Amino acid sequence: MKYLIYLTFIILLPLSLFAEDGSRLWLRFPVREQGKAKIISKHSSPTIQIARQELTSHWRGTTIELQLNKKLNYLKDGYQIKSDKDKIIISASQDTGLLYGAYHLLRLQETAANLSNINIEEKPRYDIRILNHWDNLDRTVERGYAGYSIWKWDELPNTLSPRYAEYARSNASIGINGTVLNNVNATPDILTNDYLLKVKALSDIFRPYGLKVYLSVNFSSPKELGKLSDSDPLNPAVKDWWKSKVKEIYNLIPDFGGFLVKANSEGLPGPQDYGRTHADGANMLADALKPYNGIVMWRAFVYNPSNEDRAKQAYQEFVPLDGQFRDNVIIQIKNGPIDFQPREPFSPLFGALRKTPEMVEFQITQEYLGFSNHLVYLAPLFKETLDSDTYSDGEGSTIAKLADGTLRPNKTTAICAVANIGEDANWCGHHFAQANWYAFGRLAWDHQLSSEQIADEWIKMTFSKDEEFVTPIKQMMLTSRETVVDYMMPLGLHHIFAFGHHYGPEPWCDVPDARPDWMPWYYHKADSVGLGFDRTKTGSDAVSQYFAPLNEIYGNIETCPENFILWFHHVPWNSRMKNGNTLWENLCYKYDSGVQQVREYQKIWDRMEAYVDNQRFGEVQSRLKIQARDAVWWKDACLLYFQTFSKQPIPYSIERPAHELEDLKKIKLDMKHHN
Ligand code: GCV
């Protein structure tokens, strides 16, 4: 019997090694034939060793030499790759640059790029390119849809999962060089010595891949953990507590990156509990980290239930503090003023802090975009923000350039995104969600890359180089973000999700005594006149937080871009839009078009069966079915509900609702999160 089990295991082993479960991500390099070109390097380090190993195993071309060259320090952790007679030279001033260069070459090989006469020079646009994990210490993941956390805290530091190194390698392959291991809703426990030993074990694995570890900290840690009477940032005992905690961390992890802090936000403690400001809080931590070159990423995601428009609050809170922060503090700002909605205008805080470095926070995990059930390629969303012109320093003041130091030299520049990674075999839940991790890394390295180029690379590396596959799949990915906006929240609608979760629609939701700013009606403002949030000068005046001419453009219903019209205006149902249709008609057409697009994706995918392995084909196909059903759910829920205000028929040319409004109102998904 034992023998039989053993035999079955041996037989199944090769199958499982090559099972197409998506675990290899975009790193599907073929194994190189023996006896081919050499990989030479005079220098050695654990990082260079990995670069050599990757090339030795996977590079199929000519000899490669890896050279460290201090003169290239102007490229930071970037690199040069040049053809030189019968070899290729990768040079960089840092060994991580050589590793990134090695992955660049392998990417060229895997995407069938031209490899003759290579002459490449790459400098990353941001110094810190970092993932934020919202992973809790009990291994649940806030807004995570790919299983439990990959950090097995209970087994660390003694047992080290092979996934840790795979994770670091995957990040290195796209230039990500930092990771915040734990949720911004942080528990003080992460700073106990027990946990710090676990963090050290992870950082030792990540280090050779150039991946630095950072932690989210709870502002009350001195009180909760240190048993001090308070956590007041101006209390000398509190300052000392943080200093000695930071010292303890650096003794264990000499290259520790720093802290990420969510303070006085959604019930978390912060300096305001003691009548102090965000600057007081951030500076106190920054002073403790400064001797070790650590940084503080202080989040601007703050809002309170008040009469003030939620969209205005971060700006109001932080602009008066501009100039008061230490130089190792960066203000971390979500891309939009509300919260990672399918579409938001950019946060008006970008560019408004003139003396304080700012960094963008994106969300890769699809909290508001169908979790890991919906296929949504996020590079276009990321690019939309990065390419937005704030006009803060005149025309051309894009968020990308403000944050990368081009317009305002910053000591350190950074960009981050909330990870979508979990224990699932394919890491991200949906095979196509891997593209969003990939896209964030590539854009953090170079925000000038186009969404199309990134999709092209990812498809070729992950699935197939065959153009018959690449072209339609790329088209599907590139349109998918607009599609989800259409079937969920077109024309600037936002936050009309169900109360208990952020998955399905619940525009009618009204929970007695709940915070108004967690209620859909707060955002859509549907009534017999029309739909949308009036943020003009005569409304909440959020438009005035934008620099000219945007304040005027957004504030005027005639000039406001229609994809934001219901964000900034309360628009009458019969108001004519640019295409001559009324608001109501266009709303209907948009929802319908979203549904039809998902149906198209199903057809596109089904036609691709011959190009994809069975497992991934089947898994994507199943999720597209869910997405198609959900799109109809969204369309019916929103149109039937808004129809109770517009009192107009759904245009006869579009698909009829498949549900009754009353039935939709009964749907209650069992999900654990608040709001
Ligand atoms: C980590 C939203 C999410 C919360 C999240 C918060 C934040 O409110 O729903 O889950 O908490 O943003 O970014 O801090």
Side-chain angles (χ1 to χ4, degrees):
M1 184 62 191
K2 236 185 190 169
Y3 176 74
L4 210 71
I5 295 174
Y6 179 70
L7 201 70
T8 325
F9 178 74
I10 294 290
I11 292 168
L12 288 179
L13 190 66
L15 285 180
S16 65
L17 277 179
F18 295 101
E20 287 291 2
D21 56 9
S23 56
R24 289 186 293 154
L25 296 161
W26 50 88
L27 297 161
R28 296 161 173 266
F29 309 133
V31 177
R32 175 174 166 265
E33 295 154 42
Q34 287 306 310
K36 280 260 181 152
K38 288 196 299 258
I39 311 300
I40 318 166
S41 169
K42 282 194 214 112
H43 306 96
S44 190
S45 75
T47 305
I48 295 176
Q49 208 35 47
I50 296 172
R52 283 188 73 149
Q53 187 56 48
E54 292 283 23
L55 293 167
T56 307
S57 307
H58 307 297
W59 175 248
R60 285 175 292 175
T62 179
T63 297
I64 294 179
E65 186 170 340
L66 302 172
Q67 287 182 356
L68 277 180
N69 178 356
K70 289 290 161 217
K71 287 194 195 125
L72 297 180
N73 58 6
Y74 68 95
L75 296 177
K76 299 190 169 177
D77 51 351
Y79 49 85
Q80 283 180 347
I81 308 178
K82 293 196 170 161
S83 298
D84 182 57
K85 293 182 198 129
D86 50 356
K87 64 181 174 190
I88 293 173
I89 300 176
I90 306 180
S91 39
S93 69
Q94 301 173 21
D95 54 5
T96 41
L98 296 180
L99 182 59
Y100 295 148
Y103 285 120
H104 190 134
L105 258 188
L106 289 171
R107 183 168 63 239
L108 293 181
Q109 172 181 280
E110 292 314 294
T111 52
N114 183 356
L115 293 172
S116 54
N117 292 324
I118 303 181
N119 188 1
I120 291 168
E121 182 168 283
E122 289 273 329
K123 178 183 176 185
R125 304 270 177 176
Y126 300 96
D127 301 332
I128 299 174
R129 308 171 293 273
I130 183 169
L131 290 178
N132 288 186
H133 285 264
W134 284 357
D135 295 20
N136 298 312
L137 304 187
D138 64 2
R139 298 197 56 222
T140 56
V141 180
E142 178 142 355
R143 314 304 182 181
Y145 315 105
Y148 284 105
S149 168
I150 50 171
W151 319 132
K152 298 188 171 176
W153 294 112
D154 46 340
E155 294 180 357
L156 280 162
N158 300 324
T159 307
L160 303 171
S161 154
R163 272 225 151 175
Y164 301 150
E166 289 169 26
Y167 165 84
R169 175 184 182 231
S170 314
N171 280 318
S173 75
I174 48 176
I176 290 176
N177 65 358
T179 178
V180 184
L181 297 177
N182 61 317
N183 191 352
V184 285
N185 291 335
T187 56
D189 285 351
I190 190 70
L191 292 180
T192 58
N193 192 260
D194 275 2
Y195 271 99
L196 292 178
L197 291 171
K198 298 169 196 277
V199 173
K200 171 188 162 44
L202 289 173
S203 65
D204 288 344
I205 298 174
F206 298 166
R207 187 167 300 113
Y209 292 92
L211 190 66
K212 262 191 194 185
V213 161
Y214 300 69
L215 291 176
S216 295
V217 295
N218 181 298
F219 202 78
S220 263
S221 299
K223 188 171 167 207
E224 307 289 330
L225 216 59
K227 303 292 167 221
L228 300 189
S229 57
D230 58 57
S231 297
D232 181 347
L234 300 194
N235 174 351
V238 170
K239 290 185 188 180
D240 285 347
W241 187 89
W242 281 109
K243 277 189 184 142
S244 83
K245 188 47 81 181
V246 166
K247 188 170 174 200
E248 182 187 340
I249 296 174
Y250 278 92
N251 277 339
L252 293 170
I253 309 163
D255 56 351
F256 179 71
F259 293 147
L260 168 62
V261 192
K262 172 175 175 178
N264 292 121
S265 166
E266 298 189 330
L268 278 147
Q272 293 176 339
D273 302 350
Y274 307 98
R276 316 296 184 198
T277 67
H278 284 286
D280 294 328
N283 291 343
M284 183 260 306
L285 294 174
D287 289 343
L289 289 159
K290 181 85 179 176
Y292 310 93
N293 290 324
I295 62 158
V296 174
M297 291 165 289
W298 191 270
R299 292 178 94 225
F301 180 68
V302 296
Y303 63 102
N304 287 306
S306 71
N307 289 332
E308 191 54 274
D309 178 1
R310 172 174 166 186
K312 291 172 68 179
Q313 294 184 27
Y315 179 103
Q316 289 172 330
E317 192 85 59
F318 280 87
V319 169
L321 301 175
D322 192 18
Q324 295 181 28
F325 292 94
R326 300 280 192 270
D327 67 356
N328 56 335
V329 176
I330 303 187
I331 304 301
Q332 180 169 315
I333 308 168
K334 287 190 182 182
N335 58 290
I338 298 286
D339 194 10
F340 300 137
Q341 297 300 291
R343 167 164 282 126
E344 293 190 43
F346 65 85
S347 164
L349 202 46
F350 289 114
L353 298 180
R354 295 200 172 272
K355 300 179 201 135
T356 313
E358 300 180 320
M359 64 188 276
V360 185
E361 175 179 329
F362 287 120
Q363 194 180 45
I364 308 176
T365 192
Q366 291 169 229
E367 174 180 357
Y368 296 99
L369 291 154
F371 296 3
S372 51
N373 283 337
H374 295 199
L375 188 161
V376 188
Y377 173 54
L378 293 176
L381 186 159
F382 300 157
K383 294 269 305 174
E384 190 170 295
T385 300
L386 292 169
D387 294 343
S388 290
D389 194 346
T390 65
Y391 291 89
S392 61
D393 302 29
E395 198 172 346
S397 308
T398 63
I399 291 178
K401 286 194 200 157
L402 281 166
D404 76 3
T406 310
L407 294 172
R408 301 177 186 172
N410 293 336
K411 209 174 124 218
T412 310
T413 60
I415 186 165
C416 74
V418 182
N420 62 348
I421 297 161
E423 219 187 6
D424 279 6
N426 71 11
W427 300 83
C428 304
H430 196 306
H431 292 290
F432 276 79
Q434 297 175 352
N436 297 330
W437 175 8
Y438 184 87
F440 168 71
R442 296 291 285 129
L443 284 172
W445 183 272
D446 184 1
H447 53 64
Q448 292 299 297
L449 293 171
S450 69
S451 301
E452 180 173 359
Q453 182 179 338
I454 296 169
D456 192 84
E457 289 173 8
W458 179 81
I459 297 168
K460 288 177 175 162
M461 293 174 81
T462 309
F463 282 108
S464 162
K465 285 192 264 297
D466 194 318
E467 282 303 331
E468 299 285 315
F469 179 83
V470 175
T471 306
I473 295 303
K474 198 165 39 180
Q475 194 51 27
M476 171 172 84
M477 288 171 71
L478 287 172
T479 54
S480 60
R481 188 286 182 113
E482 210 55 44
T483 295
V484 75
V485 169
D486 284 352
Y487 66 72
M488 281 188 183
M489 280 166 253
L491 300 172
L493 281 174
H494 50 291
H495 225 311
I496 54 175
F497 295 92
F499 181 70
H501 53 84
H502 291 158
Y503 189 75
E506 211 174 44
W508 50 82
C509 171
D510 192 11
V511 177
D513 305 326
R515 286 173 62 155
D517 55 357
W518 285 355
M519 290 295 105
W521 50 258
Y522 176 93
Y523 299 98
H524 63 64
K525 307 260 194 258
D527 59 20
S528 60
V529 176
L531 185 65
F533 197 134
D534 183 359
R535 295 193 163 106
T536 65
K537 284 197 171 124
T538 48
S540 82
D541 199 23
V543 288
S544 295
Q545 291 184 340
Y546 290 91
F547 291 96
L550 288 180
N551 49 358
E552 297 294 335
I553 293 173
Y554 289 157
N556 181 344
I557 197 165
E558 298 300 327
T559 53
C560 180
E562 286 191 343
N563 55 8
F564 292 133
I565 200 93
L566 301 177
W567 185 284
F568 289 112
H569 297 269
H570 190 67
V571 184
W573 294 112
N574 286 326
S575 175
R576 292 275 157 206
M577 304 192 68
K578 293 200 176 78
N579 62 1
N581 294 326
T582 64
L583 168 69
W584 169 248
E585 288 163 344
N586 268 354
L587 195 71
C588 296
Y589 292 138
K590 284 280 182 196
Y591 274 105
D592 191 57
S593 139
V595 169
Q596 302 313 324
Q597 277 284 39
V598 183
R599 300 241 165 85
E600 267 316 298
Y601 298 163
Q602 289 184 282
K603 290 179 202 154
I604 292 173
W605 187 249
D606 283 357
R607 279 191 214 111
M608 294 299 128
E609 187 162 6
Y611 299 92
V612 189
D613 50 279
N614 291 345
Q615 184 174 351
R616 288 188 297 168
F617 178 78
E619 286 169 0
V620 171
Q621 190 184 48
S622 300
R623 290 188 188 231
L624 280 169
K625 288 179 191 161
I626 300 175
Q627 185 170 0
R629 284 198 297 267
D630 288 347
V632 175
W633 176 24
W634 270 97
K635 164 178 171 275
D636 287 1
C638 296
L639 290 187
L640 291 174
Y641 175 68
F642 291 136
Q643 190 180 34
T644 63
F645 299 94
S646 81
K647 310 259 188 247
Q648 298 187 35
I650 292 170
Y652 301 112
S653 58
I654 69 171
E655 188 175 304
R656 303 289 87 196
H659 305 92
E660 299 296 338
L661 180 58
E662 290 316 307
D663 293 339
L664 292 174
K665 285 186 176 176
K666 286 181 204 139
I667 297 178
K668 292 281 168 231
L669 296 188
D670 181 22
M671 302 206 185
K672 56 184 181 303
H673 289 295
H674 68 75
N675 72 324

